[in-house]
């Protein structure tokens, strides 16, 4: 049976982690090269969001102004739970996205990061019906939502809103059986409701491109010449009913590797699925902080703690026992941007409510402080 997005290439360009010239400026010229490689390979789906600072403007310059509008699909998102106090504030995000992208309309438009306390904002501002009006006006072709929470909550939302055409879910082999992320369970709920799925975080924010040595050994023993990231992408793309698999590519090398993997991908073999099962089991035995650096926590932290940068440093120590490298990483990702250290956390809990990974952030920050003395 055919489904929405069946004919779209199964690699999508996620625009959350674009290459940068510095902390405040995206490297648009490199993005143009990446867009050209992506389009030349026959892939056409681009995913941005109002909340991805600078991304919508960058994709206007790199894509919208350089290619015919009907040659690609552009998706963006409304985050009504960020800095919105009225329905007008929420509506303004949509209008701003149209202005910044210059796209004229959006092929796929998403309510951004539903689940837990965040869903209420979309309800309070009646974004469901307001965006249906935009769809009727031709400004949106397909309307859906991205989601970070439990399968039970996804079930409730899809039951209440059968008009939603698709769902964007975090799915990767590490989280497939996770009791908190519930990748498999959420995927099965979407299939039950007949909704095609866009996959986000297939490489788990880059963690699965450089997994622990014991995990890498399993993957390399099976395919010495394949990158670890390729295994993660193929796991996601192997699922049924997928519109596309978003990869947040940050440079040309990552783009080239992903294109080499996905251009002629036909599916995994049973032997390859068994390899990934072994890799997942090995990961489940390692005590890392499962942060994907989405920085939703940073948006609500009242004390400007460098949360994701601190966790990156802690994970380097946990996985690679390299304190010097970890301290350097913390310097550039926490101190240089002017963020505060873990010890200055006031333990308000706002970060834990916002975290799509359901991380015990307060406890993990205490471990950061103990490990680095900061």
């Amino acid at each position: 049976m055919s489904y929405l997005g069946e004919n779209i290439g199964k690699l999508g360009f996620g625009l959350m982690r674009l290459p940068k010239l510095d902390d405040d400026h995206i490297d648009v010229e490199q993005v143009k090269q990446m867009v050209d490689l992506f389009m030349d390979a026959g892939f056409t789906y681009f995913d941005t969001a109002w909340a991805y600072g600078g991304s919508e403007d960058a994709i206007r310059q790199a894509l919208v102004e350089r290619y015919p509008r009907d040659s690609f699909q552009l998706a963006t998102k409304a985050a009504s739970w960020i800095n919105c106090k009225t329905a007008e504030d929420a509506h303004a995000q949509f209008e701003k996205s149209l202005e910044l992208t210059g796209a004229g309309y959006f092929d796929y438009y998403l309510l951004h990061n539903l689940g837990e306390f965040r869903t209420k904002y979309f309800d309070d501002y009646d974004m469901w019906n307001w965006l249906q009006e935009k769809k009727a006006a031709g400004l949106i072709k397909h309307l859906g939502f991205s989601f970070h929470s439990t399968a039970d909550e996804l079930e409730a939302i899809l039951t209440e809103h059968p008009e939603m055409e698709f769902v964007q879910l975090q799915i990767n082999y590490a989280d497939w059986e996770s009791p908190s992320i519930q990748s498999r369970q959420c995927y099965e709920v979407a299939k039950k409701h007949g909704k095609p799925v866009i996959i986000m975080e297939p490489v788990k924010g880059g963690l699965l491109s450089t997994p622990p040595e014991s995990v890498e050994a399993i993957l390399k023993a099976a395919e010495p010449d394949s990158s670890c990231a390729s295994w993660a992408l193929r796991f996601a793309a192997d699922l049924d009913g997928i519109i596309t698999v978003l990869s947040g590519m940050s440079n040309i090398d990552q783009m080239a590797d992903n294109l080499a993997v996905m251009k002629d991908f036909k599916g995994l073999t049973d032997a390859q699925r068994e390899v990934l099962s072994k890799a997942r089991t090995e990961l489940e035995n390692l005590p890392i902080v499962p942060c994907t650096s989405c920085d939703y926590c940073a948006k609500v932290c009242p004390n400007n703690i460098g949360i994701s940068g601190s966790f990156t440093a802690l994970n380097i120590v946990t996985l690679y026992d390299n304190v010097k490298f970890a301290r350097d990483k913390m310097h550039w990702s926490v101190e240089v941007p002017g963020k505060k250290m873990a010890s200055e956390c006031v333990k308000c809990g706002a970060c834990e409510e916002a975290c799509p990974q359901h991380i015990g952030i307060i406890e993990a920050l205490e471990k950061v402080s103990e490990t680095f003395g900061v």
Side-chain angles (χ1 to χ4, degrees):
M1 181 180 295
S2 61
Y3 63 90
L4 173 65
E6 179 182 21
N7 295 323
I8 291 176
K10 300 312 171 194
L11 177 65
F13 191 171
L15 304 169
M16 182 180 183
R17 300 179 177 92
L18 293 175
K20 291 191 172 183
L21 297 170
D22 53 47
D23 288 342
D24 298 320
H25 298 91
I26 291 171
D27 185 351
V28 175
E29 291 307 310
Q30 186 173 176
V31 176
K32 288 179 180 178
Q33 295 177 55
M34 295 169 73
V35 165
D36 292 345
L37 288 170
F38 189 75
M39 293 286 283
D40 287 347
F43 296 106
T44 57
Y45 191 99
F46 297 81
D47 172 89
T48 184
W50 171 88
Y52 300 168
S55 175
E56 291 182 323
D57 180 67
I59 205 59
R60 172 183 55 78
Q61 297 178 65
L63 174 70
V64 177
E65 294 179 348
R66 300 172 64 238
Y67 284 88
R69 183 61 186 89
D70 61 358
S71 66
F72 59 86
Q73 299 85 38
L74 182 61
T76 194
K77 314 176 190 74
S80 299
W81 48 277
I82 299 178
N83 299 331
C84 291
K85 299 184 182 302
T86 66
E88 288 72 24
D89 291 340
H91 299 168
Q93 289 186 4
F94 177 84
E95 302 299 341
K96 190 64 175 178
S97 291
L98 276 177
E99 175 190 340
L100 287 173
T101 62
Y105 63 89
F106 297 113
D107 301 273
Y108 289 76
Y109 195 81
L110 298 86
L111 286 71
H112 193 176
N113 195 13
L114 268 68
E116 301 172 335
F117 75 96
R118 299 175 296 276
T119 305
K120 181 178 184 295
Y121 287 89
F122 298 97
D123 295 340
D124 289 350
Y125 303 143
D126 195 26
M127 292 297 288
W128 308 94
N129 289 321
W130 189 80
L131 288 172
Q132 287 289 352
E133 293 175 5
K134 297 302 176 184
K135 182 182 174 185
L139 298 177
I140 297 170
K141 285 191 174 182
H142 303 291
L143 184 61
F145 61 90
S146 63
F147 180 81
H148 287 283
S149 193
T150 65
D152 286 345
E153 190 171 358
L154 180 59
E155 173 74 38
I157 292 173
L158 286 176
T159 298
E160 185 173 354
H161 294 284
E163 74 276 11
M164 293 292 102
E165 297 176 83
F166 64 95
V167 182
Q168 186 161 305
L169 299 174
Q170 176 172 322
I171 295 177
N172 56 68
Y173 71 82
D175 294 327
W176 188 241
E177 298 295 350
S178 166
S180 56
I181 307 300
Q182 299 185 3
S183 283
R184 177 183 56 78
Q185 292 170 267
C186 288
Y187 169 71
E188 290 175 352
V189 167
K191 287 197 69 176
K192 170 188 170 184
H193 284 264
K195 307 300 180 185
V197 173
I198 296 170
I199 292 179
M200 57 182 163
E201 301 292 358
V203 194
K204 199 171 173 64
L207 291 178
L208 298 180
S209 64
T210 55
E213 291 181 1
S214 58
V215 175
E216 182 176 5
I218 293 170
L219 303 178
K220 289 297 185 181
E223 294 181 9
D225 296 328
S226 295
S227 70
C228 293
S230 76
W231 281 97
L233 286 174
R234 286 179 288 165
F235 172 85
D238 190 53
L239 297 172
D240 294 329
I242 300 302
I243 294 175
T244 197
V245 178
L246 299 175
S247 180
M249 295 169 276
S250 300
N251 55 55
I252 291 174
D253 288 344
Q254 291 177 8
M255 174 66 75
D257 182 64
N258 287 357
L259 292 177
V261 172
M262 296 298 295
K263 188 171 183 180
D264 297 311
F265 179 68
K266 303 299 183 185
L268 291 171
T269 66
D270 289 342
Q272 288 170 325
R273 295 187 187 100
E274 180 60 27
V275 170
L276 283 164
S277 179
K278 290 178 180 178
R280 178 169 60 248
T281 299
E282 179 63 22
L283 273 172
E284 290 169 352
N285 294 325
L286 298 171
I288 64 170
V289 180
C291 176
T292 66
S293 299
C294 69
D295 282 333
Y296 293 136
C297 56
K299 298 180 188 301
V300 298
C301 177
N303 217 25
N304 195 31
I305 304 298
I307 299 174
S308 63
S310 296
F311 291 165
T312 298
L314 182 63
N315 285 339
I316 290 170
V317 173
T318 302
L319 298 176
Y320 307 107
D321 195 26
N322 190 328
V323 176
K324 183 180 183 300
F325 184 83
R327 285 187 182 280
D328 185 62
K329 183 69 175 177
M330 181 176 288
H331 170 71
W332 286 105
S333 60
V334 179
E335 293 180 285
V336 171
K339 297 184 179 297
K340 293 183 180 180
M341 292 297 185
S343 60
E344 298 185 67
C345 170
V346 297
K347 300 178 173 58
C348 67
C351 56
E352 295 188 355
E353 292 183 359
C355 178
Q357 309 304 322
H358 308 283
I359 296 168
I361 293 176
I362 295 173
E363 182 180 352
L365 285 175
E366 290 176 346
K367 187 174 181 181
V368 170
S369 183
E370 294 169 2
T371 301
F372 297 100
V374 295

